[in-house]
Amino acid sequence: MEYRAVAHQKFNSMAPPGKRHRAQSTKIQVINRRLAKFQAKYLTTDFAKRLVFDPSLLWVSAILLLVGELFVNVLVIQRIPYTEIDWIAYMQEVEGVVNGTWDYSKLKGDTGPLVYPAGFVYLFTILYYLTNYGKNIRLAQYIFCGIYLITLALVFRIYSKSRKIPPYMLIFICCTSYRVHSIYVLRLFNDPVAIMFLFCSINLFMEGYWTLGSVFYSFAVSIKMNILLFAPALLLAYIASQGIYGTLKQLTICAGLQIVLGAPFLLANPLAYLIGSFNLGRVFLFEWTVNWRFLPEEIFIHPGFHITLLLLHVVLLAIFAKPWFRYMKSFAKLQPTGVGIVSQLFLLPLFTANLIGVAFSRSLHYQFYVWYFHTLPYLLWSTPYSIWLRLCILGFIEMCWNTFPSTYASSAILHVCHFLIICGIFWRRHPTKDLKIDIKKDK
């Protein structure tokens, strides 16, 4: 190769001046043609509009915003003071395990007893050692910055493949929510960690890796129980795509992982572990509620109110079950084609099930915003509303979650927004012709 390059150079140096000039002119013409072609294709108003509105080009905005988010989060960590809420309590809880205590009833922190499953213990034990027994808060913030960026990348990949929302909506996800940024890098809650594993599992399900997806999903549940809000739609997806035996296999994987992770605690005190980590009857404090502030406190804490919410939750899931199952069967049939837009059939039931669970939660605390924040654009773009109404709903939801302490008005508006989204999705619960046309185009 070196010999040929030298020979070619010598030949050019020995060529007559006219030939050398013509060769250089030809190269310049080729470069000019390529530049003109690039300019005609990309440096145009039409392409600029596509970068803003065309879902197929969402990945371009995603890359730019991920880079921007890295700098924004570093700036937030460096400039805005950290606020201690639960981190010290987390460290105290896992410190008990580090010291050899496996009885869940004896694991406590400043905020009370340990109320999360075993996956939380293992993961935060790792953070305990990485952060010098929880003392290096700044390092913990940078770790959570990484968790935030990984979560964004996973969400952007879902949106890019599904081609549901326009790229400009990524600005809402990245740039308009102070609350979400603070939950990740200024508060260090465990909710973002569970959500990261959830979105990882959703990406795996979309690609057909059901077993691996079940492992990640179950691990997310083992960090925080709110991930179970996705379970009704996921169960329908298992049945539609895996059949009865396949569904039993996936459920066995999910349950088996919980048993394996909880084994040391189950052996020490099984009742304490089950009651402590999967306590469905826990009563929340009224002073922290975001969604039920307009109710009198005696109603909020009344068991009958909780039972009513549970019944309404189940009824609404039953109403949506039939269209969801139809979506999931279509997804199972079309998934082997490899067309990314088919994932819309899988994502909408999953995200809607979670929204219904959030809407009928007994209480929402400020860190719970991340339970559904990243799915809101997708859900709203699945409604028949105008773009302006969709943006107004997003804006009102953001306002409600940034009102501290919550007020009668903020909690009531939040319910109205949830109701509007659920109604809009119900009105469009049948597959549309637009989706079928888009699938044909992608093929």
Side-chain angles (χ1 to χ4, degrees):
M1 291 294 291
E2 291 180 5
Y3 173 76
R4 276 192 237 172
V6 171
H8 182 69
Q9 193 174 10
K10 284 183 179 179
F11 176 79
N12 284 338
S13 64
M14 293 171 62
K19 288 187 177 181
R20 287 202 303 271
H21 179 71
R22 284 196 298 273
Q24 290 173 356
S25 298
T26 303
K27 289 180 180 179
I28 292 171
Q29 289 173 1
V30 170
I31 293 171
N32 286 337
R33 281 198 298 269
R34 288 178 178 175
L35 287 174
K37 188 176 180 181
F38 179 84
Q39 183 177 0
K41 187 174 182 180
Y42 297 110
L43 302 181
T44 63
T45 305
D46 289 339
F47 186 75
K49 289 180 179 178
R50 287 185 64 204
L51 286 176
V52 177
F53 298 103
D54 188 351
S56 67
L57 294 177
L58 183 141
W59 62 271
V60 178
S61 301
I63 292 172
L64 295 175
L65 286 170
L66 277 173
V67 174
E69 278 285 6
L70 173 61
F71 290 101
V72 168
N73 278 272
V74 170
L75 192 64
V76 168
I77 292 170
Q78 293 293 331
R79 296 293 181 87
I80 301 178
Y82 162 78
T83 303
E84 172 55 41
I85 297 180
D86 280 342
W87 173 258
I88 291 177
Y90 291 165
M91 296 297 101
Q92 291 169 339
E93 288 161 0
V94 300
E95 193 171 44
V97 178
V98 171
N99 292 333
T101 302
W102 297 99
D103 186 341
Y104 242 61
S105 64
K106 298 178 181 178
L107 296 173
K108 296 179 175 63
D110 287 344
T111 58
L114 175 58
V115 294
Y116 308 117
F120 163 85
V121 175
Y122 300 130
L123 197 59
F124 276 79
T125 298
I126 295 172
L127 294 176
Y128 173 83
Y129 284 113
L130 288 176
T131 58
N132 189 25
Y133 313 122
K135 298 174 185 175
N136 192 340
I137 301 294
R138 183 56 55 85
L139 177 57
Q141 287 181 279
Y142 278 110
I143 292 172
F144 272 76
C145 173
I147 291 170
Y148 176 73
L149 294 175
I150 292 171
T151 302
L152 271 188
L154 293 168
V155 171
F156 289 168
R157 185 178 184 276
I158 290 171
Y159 282 166
S160 180
K161 283 185 69 67
S162 65
R163 300 191 182 186
K164 184 70 175 179
I165 68 168
Y168 66 81
M169 279 311 300
L170 299 190
I171 296 174
F172 167 80
I173 294 175
C174 292
C175 305
T176 63
S177 184
Y178 167 79
R179 177 67 64 191
V180 168
H181 284 85
S182 69
I183 289 170
Y184 276 85
V185 298
L186 297 178
R187 304 293 188 269
L188 309 182
F189 290 113
N190 64 330
D191 304 74
V193 187
I195 292 298
M196 179 185 70
F197 283 100
L198 167 77
F199 281 118
C200 185
S201 71
I202 292 175
N203 274 274
L204 291 166
F205 289 137
M206 286 168 57
E207 298 299 329
Y209 298 108
W210 291 94
T211 297
L212 193 57
S214 295
V215 170
F216 275 86
Y217 177 80
S218 185
F219 191 72
V221 172
S222 76
I223 296 170
K224 192 151 188 181
M225 258 186 22
N226 69 284
I227 306 300
L228 287 173
L229 295 178
F230 293 86
L234 182 58
L235 176 61
L236 295 177
Y238 282 151
I239 296 170
S241 63
Q242 304 296 296
I244 298 300
Y245 292 109
T247 300
L248 291 175
K249 174 187 172 183
Q250 299 305 323
L251 294 178
T252 301
I253 290 169
C254 292
L257 183 64
Q258 297 299 321
I259 293 171
V260 170
L261 292 174
F265 306 103
L266 289 168
L267 291 172
N269 189 340
L271 193 60
Y273 176 70
L274 293 174
I275 293 175
S277 59
F278 296 100
N279 185 0
L280 298 176
R282 189 154 51 105
V283 179
F284 293 98
L285 295 176
F286 182 68
E287 62 182 293
W288 293 110
T289 187
V290 175
N291 57 333
W292 296 114
R293 179 67 62 186
F294 58 87
L295 292 177
E297 185 173 0
E298 55 268 22
I299 293 178
F300 175 81
I301 63 175
H302 195 280
F305 175 63
H306 297 169
I307 294 172
T308 302
L309 288 176
L310 179 60
L311 290 174
L312 290 172
H313 185 182
V314 172
V315 167
L316 206 53
L317 289 176
I319 291 172
F320 275 94
K322 187 175 179 180
W324 285 353
F325 191 57
R326 185 168 59 246
Y327 269 66
M328 291 302 186
K329 286 195 294 185
S330 299
F331 173 71
K333 182 179 178 181
L334 295 170
Q335 188 185 30
T337 64
V339 179
I341 198 172
V342 169
S343 59
Q344 291 183 24
L345 298 163
F346 173 74
L347 294 172
L348 183 57
L350 212 64
F351 291 169
T352 307
N354 181 58
L355 173 63
I356 291 171
V358 170
F360 289 98
S361 290
R362 287 175 295 167
S363 184
L364 295 175
H365 295 175
Y366 287 94
Q367 66 269 30
F368 297 177
Y369 192 18
V370 298
W371 289 8
Y372 74 138
F373 169 78
H374 296 99
T375 69
L376 285 173
Y378 191 96
L379 290 167
L380 275 165
W381 256 252
S382 300
T383 66
Y385 305 141
S386 68
I387 291 176
W388 291 112
L389 181 55
R390 294 169 185 172
L391 294 176
C392 284
I393 292 173
L394 286 174
F396 277 119
I397 290 175
E398 182 68 20
M399 179 199 73
C400 294
W401 284 97
N402 280 282
T403 301
F404 178 81
S406 61
T407 63
Y408 293 166
S410 68
S411 58
I413 290 171
L414 185 62
H415 281 289
V416 171
C417 292
H418 291 165
F419 177 77
L420 287 173
I421 298 174
I422 292 171
C423 286
I425 294 170
F426 182 76
W427 289 336
R428 293 186 66 178
R429 63 191 181 279
H430 301 294
T432 63
K433 293 180 180 179
D434 294 338
L435 179 59
K436 295 176 182 177
I437 292 170
D438 290 338
I439 290 173
K440 289 179 181 178
K441 285 181 180 178
D442 268 22
K443 286 182 178 178

